[in-house]
Amino acid sequence: MRSKTPAAGPAISPEGPKTRRSPKGQQRRQQILDAAMEMFAQGGYAGTSIASIAEKAGLTLPGLLHHFPSKMSLLLAAMEERDHETGRLLAAEAEDRDPTSGRLQSPDGLTWRRVLDDARRVMRHNAGKRNLVQVFAILNGESLIDGHPAQPFFRRRSAYLLSFMQAAFQAGIDAGELRPDLDPRQLAYELIAMMDGLQIQWLRDPEDVDLAAGFDAYVRRLEQSIRAQPDG
C-alpha cells in the first residue's frame, strides 16, 4: 500500500494561525528573520540575544517583539523559513498546505530516484546559501542539549525525513529495482548523515570541499551500489 510521502522537510508554525500582513509588515518580518539568521550563525541560540537581533535589524526591542514575542518564536520561524525555502525548491507542484499539520503536501509514490535527485538539488542549492546552512548546522548540533528549544523541531524533522526516505527505498526494493538485502532505514540514515556531514566539512573548509560536486559523486557511487543486479 502506498502512503503519502512529502518531498520536503516538515515545517512548523511557531506563531499560531497565520494572519494577513501588509506588504510593509511582511518586509519588516523578513528583515528580522534575515538578521536572526546572521546572528544565530555567528553565536548560536544561547549566545545570541534578542536585543542584538533587534539592533542588527535596525529596530527597537519592542518593535521586534511586535513581530516575534520571544527568542524561541524567532528561532522556530527561522528554521521554518529554511524548510519552506527547500520545500519551494523541491515541491513547487505541491504548494497547497494542510492547515492541520502545517506541512507541504506532495503526490503519492515518491520514488527512490526522486529522493536521490532531490537530495542533489538541495545540496546544489545549499552551496549558494552558506549563511543559511551555517545557522542550520549550529542549531542542529545545539539541539542535542536536553531542553534546547529547537530539540522538538529537529526530532520531528529527523523522523519525518527518515520516514519518507525509508518508504521510498523500501518501494524500490519491493519493485525489484534495488537489492533485496538492503536495509531501507539504514540507507536513509546514511543519506541524511552524508548530507549533514559533508555540509559541515564544507563550512569548515570551503576552499577544499566542493559541496555540490562531492555530493553528486557520492550519490553516483551509492546508486551503483544499491541497484539490483540483473539475473544471470
Side-chain angles (χ1 to χ4, degrees):
M1 181 177 67
R2 296 189 305 173
S3 59
K4 290 191 175 182
T5 51
I12 57 177
S13 177
E15 299 174 279
K18 298 295 182 183
T19 57
R20 187 180 300 275
R21 299 187 181 94
S22 67
K24 182 177 179 181
Q26 185 62 40
Q27 182 179 11
R28 181 58 56 85
R29 185 177 185 276
Q30 189 61 52
Q31 180 183 349
I32 295 169
L33 284 175
D34 290 344
M37 292 282 193
E38 184 174 344
M39 298 301 289
F40 285 140
Q42 293 175 4
Y45 179 79
T48 300
S49 70
I50 196 166
S52 69
I53 295 172
E55 182 179 359
K56 183 70 177 178
L59 297 172
T60 64
L61 182 56
L64 184 149
L65 293 174
H66 173 74
H67 296 274
F68 298 96
S70 67
K71 188 168 75 164
M72 183 188 298
S73 70
L74 184 50
L75 168 72
L76 296 178
M79 292 296 93
E80 182 184 44
E81 176 66 18
R82 193 262 188 190
D83 268 356
H84 283 175
E85 184 170 341
T86 302
R88 290 189 292 268
L89 173 72
L90 297 180
E93 75 281 6
E95 284 291 338
D96 290 340
R97 187 180 295 278
D98 177 350
T100 63
S101 69
R103 290 177 178 168
L104 291 174
Q105 302 302 295
S106 69
D108 284 344
L110 184 66
T111 68
W112 65 271
R113 293 184 183 87
R114 174 69 185 274
V115 166
L116 296 183
D117 286 345
D118 281 355
R120 288 188 182 102
R121 293 173 65 195
V122 167
M123 295 296 266
R124 287 196 296 269
H125 176 72
N126 286 355
K129 299 284 185 178
R130 180 179 173 82
N131 189 57
L132 198 61
V133 174
Q134 187 170 347
V135 171
F136 187 83
I138 290 173
L139 293 175
N140 195 4
E142 282 189 355
S143 72
L144 298 174
I145 300 170
D146 286 342
H148 192 280
Q151 191 173 72
F153 175 92
F154 282 103
R155 281 182 171 168
R156 280 196 301 272
R157 187 178 190 280
S158 178
Y160 188 64
L161 290 172
L162 282 168
S163 177
F164 80 75
M165 286 184 178
Q166 179 180 351
F169 289 133
Q170 183 64 60
I173 294 169
D174 294 343
E177 297 172 350
L178 300 180
R179 287 175 18 219
D181 61 319
L182 292 173
D183 181 335
R185 187 167 183 83
Q186 189 61 39
L187 194 55
Y189 272 122
E190 178 184 334
L191 182 59
I192 294 169
M194 182 62 180
M195 294 177 76
D196 288 350
L198 189 60
Q199 286 180 129
I200 289 174
Q201 296 305 314
W202 170 67
L203 289 170
R204 182 169 290 122
D205 194 358
E207 296 299 320
D208 196 47
V209 177
D210 187 324
L211 183 61
F215 188 72
D216 277 347
Y218 161 74
V219 171
R220 285 195 299 271
R221 294 192 302 271
L222 177 65
E223 190 167 355
Q224 289 174 0
S225 70
I226 65 177
R227 279 184 176 275
Q229 299 301 313
D231 293 336

mmCIF file of all heavy atoms in Angstrom, residues 188-212:
data_model
loop_
_atom_site.group_PDB
_atom_site.id
_atom_site.type_symbol
_atom_site.label_atom_id
_atom_site.label_comp_id
_atom_site.label_asym_id
_atom_site.label_seq_id
_atom_site.Cartn_x
_atom_site.Cartn_y
_atom_site.Cartn_z
ATOM 1 N N ALA A 188 18.484 5.305 4.583
ATOM 2 C CA ALA A 188 18.005 6.673 4.807
ATOM 3 C C ALA A 188 18.909 7.405 5.803
ATOM 4 O O ALA A 188 19.273 8.574 5.592
ATOM 5 C CB ALA A 188 16.572 6.645 5.310
ATOM 6 N N TYR A 189 19.290 6.712 6.890
ATOM 7 C CA TYR A 189 20.218 7.316 7.846
ATOM 8 C C TYR A 189 21.522 7.714 7.158
ATOM 9 O O TYR A 189 22.077 8.801 7.401
ATOM 10 C CB TYR A 189 20.533 6.330 8.974
ATOM 11 C CG TYR A 189 19.591 6.369 10.148
ATOM 12 C CD1 TYR A 189 18.884 5.231 10.542
ATOM 13 C CD2 TYR A 189 19.425 7.527 10.895
ATOM 14 C CE1 TYR A 189 18.026 5.248 11.620
ATOM 15 C CE2 TYR A 189 18.564 7.560 11.982
ATOM 16 C CZ TYR A 189 17.869 6.426 12.339
ATOM 17 O OH TYR A 189 17.010 6.458 13.421
ATOM 18 N N GLU A 190 22.034 6.830 6.310
ATOM 19 C CA GLU A 190 23.306 7.089 5.641
ATOM 20 C C GLU A 190 23.212 8.319 4.738
ATOM 21 O O GLU A 190 24.124 9.159 4.715
ATOM 22 C CB GLU A 190 23.706 5.868 4.811
ATOM 23 C CG GLU A 190 24.997 6.052 4.033
ATOM 24 C CD GLU A 190 25.322 4.862 3.154
ATOM 25 O OE1 GLU A 190 24.886 3.735 3.474
ATOM 26 O OE2 GLU A 190 26.009 5.054 2.139
ATOM 27 N N LEU A 191 22.125 8.430 3.998
ATOM 28 C CA LEU A 191 21.975 9.563 3.087
ATOM 29 C C LEU A 191 21.893 10.876 3.854
ATOM 30 O O LEU A 191 22.552 11.867 3.502
ATOM 31 C CB LEU A 191 20.719 9.366 2.233
ATOM 32 C CG LEU A 191 20.444 10.442 1.181
ATOM 33 C CD1 LEU A 191 21.592 10.558 0.191
ATOM 34 C CD2 LEU A 191 19.127 10.157 0.454
ATOM 35 N N ILE A 192 21.105 10.905 4.931
ATOM 36 C CA ILE A 192 20.988 12.116 5.742
ATOM 37 C C ILE A 192 22.325 12.465 6.388
ATOM 38 O O ILE A 192 22.737 13.632 6.431
ATOM 39 C CB ILE A 192 19.895 11.943 6.807
ATOM 40 C CG1 ILE A 192 18.525 11.805 6.134
ATOM 41 C CG2 ILE A 192 19.888 13.119 7.775
ATOM 42 C CD1 ILE A 192 17.419 11.376 7.075
ATOM 43 N N ALA A 193 23.022 11.448 6.896
ATOM 44 C CA ALA A 193 24.310 11.679 7.545
ATOM 45 C C ALA A 193 25.333 12.244 6.552
ATOM 46 O O ALA A 193 26.131 13.122 6.909
ATOM 47 C CB ALA A 193 24.833 10.384 8.153
ATOM 48 N N MET A 194 25.312 11.755 5.330
ATOM 49 C CA MET A 194 26.237 12.263 4.330
ATOM 50 C C MET A 194 25.936 13.723 4.005
ATOM 51 O O MET A 194 26.854 14.548 3.884
ATOM 52 C CB MET A 194 26.157 11.403 3.062
ATOM 53 C CG MET A 194 27.130 11.830 1.974
ATOM 54 S SD MET A 194 28.855 11.665 2.520
ATOM 55 C CE MET A 194 29.716 12.243 1.064
ATOM 56 N N MET A 195 24.675 14.054 3.875
ATOM 57 C CA MET A 195 24.299 15.442 3.589
ATOM 58 C C MET A 195 24.747 16.363 4.724
ATOM 59 O O MET A 195 25.400 17.390 4.489
ATOM 60 C CB MET A 195 22.790 15.546 3.379
ATOM 61 C CG MET A 195 22.286 14.815 2.150
ATOM 62 S SD MET A 195 20.481 14.882 1.948
ATOM 63 C CE MET A 195 20.282 16.568 1.347
ATOM 64 N N ASP A 196 24.416 15.995 5.956
ATOM 65 C CA ASP A 196 24.778 16.843 7.100
ATOM 66 C C ASP A 196 26.289 16.915 7.278
ATOM 67 O O ASP A 196 26.854 17.993 7.501
ATOM 68 C CB ASP A 196 24.139 16.298 8.378
ATOM 69 C CG ASP A 196 22.634 16.518 8.429
ATOM 70 O OD1 ASP A 196 22.117 17.250 7.568
ATOM 71 O OD2 ASP A 196 21.984 15.953 9.331
ATOM 72 N N GLY A 197 26.958 15.759 7.185
ATOM 73 C CA GLY A 197 28.402 15.728 7.423
ATOM 74 C C GLY A 197 29.191 16.462 6.362
ATOM 75 O O GLY A 197 30.150 17.188 6.670
ATOM 76 N N LEU A 198 28.812 16.309 5.099
ATOM 77 C CA LEU A 198 29.542 16.993 4.033
ATOM 78 C C LEU A 198 29.356 18.500 4.135
ATOM 79 O O LEU A 198 30.283 19.274 3.872
ATOM 80 C CB LEU A 198 29.073 16.483 2.674
ATOM 81 C CG LEU A 198 29.887 16.956 1.462
ATOM 82 C CD1 LEU A 198 31.347 16.510 1.575
ATOM 83 C CD2 LEU A 198 29.274 16.437 0.165
ATOM 84 N N GLN A 199 28.170 18.925 4.547
ATOM 85 C CA GLN A 199 27.954 20.366 4.714
ATOM 86 C C GLN A 199 28.835 20.927 5.824
ATOM 87 O O GLN A 199 29.355 22.043 5.705
ATOM 88 C CB GLN A 199 26.473 20.631 5.001
ATOM 89 C CG GLN A 199 25.613 20.463 3.767
ATOM 90 C CD GLN A 199 24.140 20.720 4.007
ATOM 91 O OE1 GLN A 199 23.525 21.477 3.291
ATOM 92 N NE2 GLN A 199 23.569 20.072 5.005
ATOM 93 N N ILE A 200 29.031 20.178 6.896
ATOM 94 C CA ILE A 200 29.905 20.647 7.966
ATOM 95 C C ILE A 200 31.343 20.758 7.470
ATOM 96 O O ILE A 200 32.048 21.741 7.756
ATOM 97 C CB ILE A 200 29.810 19.702 9.189
ATOM 98 C CG1 ILE A 200 28.448 19.874 9.871
ATOM 99 C CG2 ILE A 200 30.946 19.977 10.175
ATOM 100 C CD1 ILE A 200 28.190 18.891 10.987
ATOM 101 N N GLN A 201 31.804 19.763 6.711
ATOM 102 C CA GLN A 201 33.165 19.834 6.166
ATOM 103 C C GLN A 201 33.307 21.014 5.211
ATOM 104 O O GLN A 201 34.347 21.684 5.182
ATOM 105 C CB GLN A 201 33.507 18.525 5.441
ATOM 106 C CG GLN A 201 33.546 17.304 6.337
ATOM 107 C CD GLN A 201 34.495 17.467 7.512
ATOM 108 O OE1 GLN A 201 35.625 17.918 7.350
ATOM 109 N NE2 GLN A 201 34.039 17.091 8.700
ATOM 110 N N TRP A 202 32.290 21.295 4.448
ATOM 111 C CA TRP A 202 32.296 22.429 3.522
ATOM 112 C C TRP A 202 32.324 23.756 4.282
ATOM 113 O O TRP A 202 33.058 24.678 3.912
ATOM 114 C CB TRP A 202 31.071 22.342 2.618
ATOM 115 C CG TRP A 202 30.808 23.551 1.772
ATOM 116 C CD1 TRP A 202 31.569 24.013 0.737
ATOM 117 C CD2 TRP A 202 29.694 24.444 1.880
ATOM 118 N NE1 TRP A 202 30.987 25.142 0.186
ATOM 119 C CE2 TRP A 202 29.832 25.412 0.870
ATOM 120 C CE3 TRP A 202 28.579 24.486 2.723
ATOM 121 C CZ2 TRP A 202 28.903 26.448 0.686
ATOM 122 C CZ3 TRP A 202 27.655 25.505 2.542
ATOM 123 C CH2 TRP A 202 27.825 26.470 1.540
ATOM 124 N N LEU A 203 31.540 23.857 5.363
ATOM 125 C CA LEU A 203 31.553 25.076 6.169
ATOM 126 C C LEU A 203 32.929 25.307 6.781
ATOM 127 O O LEU A 203 33.403 26.439 6.879
ATOM 128 C CB LEU A 203 30.504 24.978 7.279
ATOM 129 C CG LEU A 203 29.036 25.049 6.846
ATOM 130 C CD1 LEU A 203 28.119 24.684 8.008
ATOM 131 C CD2 LEU A 203 28.689 26.438 6.313
ATOM 132 N N ARG A 204 33.592 24.209 7.179
ATOM 133 C CA ARG A 204 34.893 24.318 7.814
ATOM 134 C C ARG A 204 36.000 24.635 6.802
ATOM 135 O O ARG A 204 36.946 25.352 7.123
ATOM 136 C CB ARG A 204 35.205 23.005 8.549
ATOM 137 C CG ARG A 204 36.529 23.020 9.306
ATOM 138 C CD ARG A 204 36.630 21.813 10.219
ATOM 139 N NE ARG A 204 35.712 21.912 11.336
ATOM 140 C CZ ARG A 204 34.760 21.027 11.635
ATOM 141 N NH1 ARG A 204 34.598 19.961 10.872
ATOM 142 N NH2 ARG A 204 33.975 21.197 12.676
ATOM 143 N N ASP A 205 35.887 24.102 5.603
ATOM 144 C CA ASP A 205 36.967 24.256 4.619
ATOM 145 C C ASP A 205 36.384 24.427 3.217
ATOM 146 O O ASP A 205 36.489 23.551 2.363
ATOM 147 C CB ASP A 205 37.875 23.024 4.662
ATOM 148 C CG ASP A 205 39.196 23.239 3.941
ATOM 149 O OD1 ASP A 205 39.397 24.342 3.371
ATOM 150 O OD2 ASP A 205 40.024 22.315 3.933
ATOM 151 N N PRO A 206 35.745 25.578 2.952
ATOM 152 C CA PRO A 206 35.060 25.765 1.673
ATOM 153 C C PRO A 206 36.000 25.795 0.475
ATOM 154 O O PRO A 206 35.568 25.537 -0.651
ATOM 155 C CB PRO A 206 34.350 27.116 1.847
ATOM 156 C CG PRO A 206 35.119 27.818 2.913
ATOM 157 C CD PRO A 206 35.614 26.758 3.829
ATOM 158 N N GLU A 207 37.275 26.100 0.691
ATOM 159 C CA GLU A 207 38.226 26.136 -0.428
ATOM 160 C C GLU A 207 38.577 24.728 -0.907
ATOM 161 O O GLU A 207 38.935 24.535 -2.070
ATOM 162 C CB GLU A 207 39.503 26.874 -0.012
ATOM 163 C CG GLU A 207 39.301 28.336 0.336
ATOM 164 C CD GLU A 207 38.763 29.135 -0.832
ATOM 165 O OE1 GLU A 207 39.216 28.887 -1.977
ATOM 166 O OE2 GLU A 207 37.888 29.994 -0.618
ATOM 167 N N ASP A 208 38.479 23.763 -0.018
ATOM 168 C CA ASP A 208 38.906 22.401 -0.351
ATOM 169 C C ASP A 208 37.738 21.464 -0.647
ATOM 170 O O ASP A 208 37.926 20.415 -1.260
ATOM 171 C CB ASP A 208 39.744 21.826 0.794
ATOM 172 C CG ASP A 208 40.546 20.597 0.375
ATOM 173 O OD1 ASP A 208 41.183 20.652 -0.694
ATOM 174 O OD2 ASP A 208 40.509 19.591 1.101
ATOM 175 N N VAL A 209 36.549 21.827 -0.205
ATOM 176 C CA VAL A 209 35.380 20.953 -0.362
ATOM 177 C C VAL A 209 34.415 21.579 -1.358
ATOM 178 O O VAL A 209 33.949 22.700 -1.154
ATOM 179 C CB VAL A 209 34.667 20.725 0.987
ATOM 180 C CG1 VAL A 209 33.416 19.876 0.792
ATOM 181 C CG2 VAL A 209 35.601 20.079 1.997
ATOM 182 N N ASP A 210 34.138 20.851 -2.425
ATOM 183 C CA ASP A 210 33.123 21.264 -3.397
ATOM 184 C C ASP A 210 31.832 20.555 -3.011
ATOM 185 O O ASP A 210 31.673 19.353 -3.248
ATOM 186 C CB ASP A 210 33.552 20.889 -4.819
ATOM 187 C CG ASP A 210 32.619 21.443 -5.889
ATOM 188 O OD1 ASP A 210 31.400 21.503 -5.645
ATOM 189 O OD2 ASP A 210 33.114 21.819 -6.971
ATOM 190 N N LEU A 211 30.922 21.292 -2.394
ATOM 191 C CA LEU A 211 29.729 20.679 -1.807
ATOM 192 C C LEU A 211 28.890 19.954 -2.852
ATOM 193 O O LEU A 211 28.541 18.782 -2.685
ATOM 194 C CB LEU A 211 28.894 21.751 -1.107
ATOM 195 C CG LEU A 211 27.638 21.264 -0.366
ATOM 196 C CD1 LEU A 211 28.003 20.300 0.745
ATOM 197 C CD2 LEU A 211 26.861 22.454 0.192
ATOM 198 N N ALA A 212 28.561 20.633 -3.932
ATOM 199 C CA ALA A 212 27.677 20.044 -4.939
ATOM 200 C C ALA A 212 28.345 18.889 -5.669
ATOM 201 O O ALA A 212 27.767 17.805 -5.807
ATOM 202 C CB ALA A 212 27.220 21.111 -5.923
#
